[in-house]
PDB file of all heavy atoms in Angstrom:
ATOM      1  N   LYS A 217      18.637  39.162  53.660  1.00 92.00           N
ATOM      2  CA  LYS A 217      19.753  38.266  53.991  1.00 92.00           C
ATOM      3  C   LYS A 217      19.558  37.626  55.371  1.00 92.00           C
ATOM      4  O   LYS A 217      19.881  36.449  55.551  1.00 92.00           O
ATOM      5  CB  LYS A 217      21.082  39.021  53.991  1.00 92.00           C
ATOM      6  CG  LYS A 217      21.785  39.028  52.652  1.00 92.00           C
ATOM      7  CD  LYS A 217      22.333  37.657  52.308  1.00 92.00           C
ATOM      8  CE  LYS A 217      22.820  37.529  50.890  1.00 92.00           C
ATOM      9  NZ  LYS A 217      21.795  37.536  49.874  1.00 92.00           N
ATOM     10  N   TRP A 218      19.018  38.377  56.309  1.00 94.00           N
ATOM     11  CA  TRP A 218      18.753  37.796  57.633  1.00 94.00           C
ATOM     12  C   TRP A 218      17.721  36.681  57.521  1.00 94.00           C
ATOM     13  O   TRP A 218      17.879  35.604  58.105  1.00 94.00           O
ATOM     14  CB  TRP A 218      18.270  38.874  58.611  1.00 94.00           C
ATOM     15  CG  TRP A 218      19.410  39.574  59.289  1.00 94.00           C
ATOM     16  CD1 TRP A 218      20.056  40.690  58.870  1.00 94.00           C
ATOM     17  CD2 TRP A 218      20.053  39.174  60.494  1.00 94.00           C
ATOM     18  NE1 TRP A 218      21.072  41.024  59.732  1.00 94.00           N
ATOM     19  CE2 TRP A 218      21.083  40.105  60.746  1.00 94.00           C
ATOM     20  CE3 TRP A 218      19.870  38.113  61.392  1.00 94.00           C
ATOM     21  CZ2 TRP A 218      21.920  40.021  61.857  1.00 94.00           C
ATOM     22  CZ3 TRP A 218      20.706  38.029  62.503  1.00 94.00           C
ATOM     23  CH2 TRP A 218      21.714  38.974  62.723  1.00 94.00           C
ATOM     24  N   PHE A 219      16.693  36.946  56.724  1.00 94.00           N
ATOM     25  CA  PHE A 219      15.665  35.928  56.502  1.00 94.00           C
ATOM     26  C   PHE A 219      16.298  34.688  55.864  1.00 94.00           C
ATOM     27  O   PHE A 219      16.072  33.559  56.307  1.00 94.00           O
ATOM     28  CB  PHE A 219      14.578  36.518  55.583  1.00 94.00           C
ATOM     29  CG  PHE A 219      13.461  35.578  55.257  1.00 94.00           C
ATOM     30  CD1 PHE A 219      12.383  35.428  56.116  1.00 94.00           C
ATOM     31  CD2 PHE A 219      13.471  34.843  54.072  1.00 94.00           C
ATOM     32  CE1 PHE A 219      11.336  34.550  55.810  1.00 94.00           C
ATOM     33  CE2 PHE A 219      12.438  33.968  53.767  1.00 94.00           C
ATOM     34  CZ  PHE A 219      11.368  33.830  54.637  1.00 94.00           C
ATOM     35  N   GLU A 220      17.114  34.919  54.846  1.00 94.00           N
ATOM     36  CA  GLU A 220      17.756  33.798  54.150  1.00 94.00           C
ATOM     37  C   GLU A 220      18.727  33.055  55.058  1.00 94.00           C
ATOM     38  O   GLU A 220      18.847  31.833  54.992  1.00 94.00           O
ATOM     39  CB  GLU A 220      18.505  34.303  52.909  1.00 94.00           C
ATOM     40  CG  GLU A 220      17.606  34.711  51.763  1.00 94.00           C
ATOM     41  CD  GLU A 220      18.387  35.302  50.604  1.00 94.00           C
ATOM     42  OE1 GLU A 220      19.581  35.636  50.781  1.00 94.00           O
ATOM     43  OE2 GLU A 220      17.807  35.454  49.516  1.00 94.00           O
ATOM     44  N   ALA A 221      19.413  33.790  55.906  1.00 94.00           N
ATOM     45  CA  ALA A 221      20.387  33.166  56.808  1.00 94.00           C
ATOM     46  C   ALA A 221      19.685  32.198  57.755  1.00 94.00           C
ATOM     47  O   ALA A 221      20.141  31.074  57.964  1.00 94.00           O
ATOM     48  CB  ALA A 221      21.139  34.231  57.599  1.00 94.00           C
ATOM     49  N   VAL A 222      18.544  32.627  58.281  1.00 94.00           N
ATOM     50  CA  VAL A 222      17.791  31.762  59.193  1.00 94.00           C
ATOM     51  C   VAL A 222      17.198  30.586  58.427  1.00 94.00           C
ATOM     52  O   VAL A 222      17.206  29.449  58.887  1.00 94.00           O
ATOM     53  CB  VAL A 222      16.661  32.575  59.879  1.00 94.00           C
ATOM     54  CG1 VAL A 222      15.763  31.670  60.685  1.00 94.00           C
ATOM     55  CG2 VAL A 222      17.256  33.640  60.767  1.00 94.00           C
ATOM     56  N   GLN A 223      16.724  30.863  57.234  1.00 93.00           N
ATOM     57  CA  GLN A 223      16.098  29.820  56.434  1.00 93.00           C
ATOM     58  C   GLN A 223      17.088  28.776  55.923  1.00 93.00           C
ATOM     59  O   GLN A 223      16.852  27.588  56.020  1.00 93.00           O
ATOM     60  CB  GLN A 223      15.441  30.488  55.194  1.00 93.00           C
ATOM     61  CG  GLN A 223      14.031  30.962  55.424  1.00 93.00           C
ATOM     62  CD  GLN A 223      13.051  29.848  55.169  1.00 93.00           C
ATOM     63  OE1 GLN A 223      13.102  29.203  54.135  1.00 93.00           O
ATOM     64  NE2 GLN A 223      12.165  29.620  56.107  1.00 93.00           N
ATOM     65  N   THR A 224      18.189  29.235  55.347  1.00 93.00           N
ATOM     66  CA  THR A 224      19.092  28.297  54.679  1.00 93.00           C
ATOM     67  C   THR A 224      20.304  27.906  55.520  1.00 93.00           C
ATOM     68  O   THR A 224      20.815  26.817  55.364  1.00 93.00           O
ATOM     69  CB  THR A 224      19.627  28.888  53.360  1.00 93.00           C
ATOM     70  OG1 THR A 224      20.416  30.043  53.665  1.00 93.00           O
ATOM     71  CG2 THR A 224      18.495  29.280  52.435  1.00 93.00           C
ATOM     72  N   GLY A 225      20.781  28.801  56.359  1.00 92.00           N
ATOM     73  CA  GLY A 225      21.992  28.515  57.125  1.00 92.00           C
ATOM     74  C   GLY A 225      23.258  28.601  56.293  1.00 92.00           C
ATOM     75  O   GLY A 225      24.333  28.219  56.734  1.00 92.00           O
ATOM     76  N   LEU A 226      23.156  29.121  55.072  1.00 93.00           N
ATOM     77  CA  LEU A 226      24.343  29.229  54.229  1.00 93.00           C
ATOM     78  C   LEU A 226      25.342  30.207  54.865  1.00 93.00           C
ATOM     79  O   LEU A 226      24.971  31.311  55.230  1.00 93.00           O
ATOM     80  CB  LEU A 226      23.960  29.737  52.833  1.00 93.00           C
ATOM     81  CG  LEU A 226      23.360  28.712  51.873  1.00 93.00           C
ATOM     82  CD1 LEU A 226      22.754  29.412  50.673  1.00 93.00           C
ATOM     83  CD2 LEU A 226      24.414  27.719  51.419  1.00 93.00           C
ATOM     84  N   PRO A 227      26.615  29.793  54.964  1.00 92.00           N
ATOM     85  CA  PRO A 227      27.615  30.667  55.593  1.00 92.00           C
ATOM     86  C   PRO A 227      27.686  32.047  54.955  1.00 92.00           C
ATOM     87  O   PRO A 227      27.868  33.049  55.635  1.00 92.00           O
ATOM     88  CB  PRO A 227      28.924  29.900  55.387  1.00 92.00           C
ATOM     89  CG  PRO A 227      28.523  28.483  55.258  1.00 92.00           C
ATOM     90  CD  PRO A 227      27.174  28.480  54.602  1.00 92.00           C
ATOM     91  N   MET A 228      27.517  32.103  53.661  1.00 91.00           N
ATOM     92  CA  MET A 228      27.587  33.385  52.972  1.00 91.00           C
ATOM     93  C   MET A 228      26.465  34.305  53.428  1.00 91.00           C
ATOM     94  O   MET A 228      26.677  35.501  53.612  1.00 91.00           O
ATOM     95  CB  MET A 228      27.501  33.124  51.461  1.00 91.00           C
ATOM     96  CG  MET A 228      27.440  34.364  50.626  1.00 91.00           C
ATOM     97  SD  MET A 228      25.769  34.856  50.236  1.00 91.00           S
ATOM     98  CE  MET A 228      25.367  33.663  48.981  1.00 91.00           C
ATOM     99  N   CYS A 229      25.261  33.751  53.626  1.00 92.00           N
ATOM    100  CA  CYS A 229      24.143  34.563  54.107  1.00 92.00           C
ATOM    101  C   CYS A 229      24.423  35.065  55.511  1.00 92.00           C
ATOM    102  O   CYS A 229      24.177  36.233  55.821  1.00 92.00           O
ATOM    103  CB  CYS A 229      22.855  33.741  54.144  1.00 92.00           C
ATOM    104  SG  CYS A 229      22.314  33.211  52.541  1.00 92.00           S
TER     105      CYS A 229
END
Side-chain angles (χ1 to χ4, degrees):
Chain A
K217 270 289 169 290
W218 273 90
F219 179 84
E220 287 176 346
V222 173
Q223 272 273 309
T224 64
L226 281 167
M228 175 266 284
C229 296

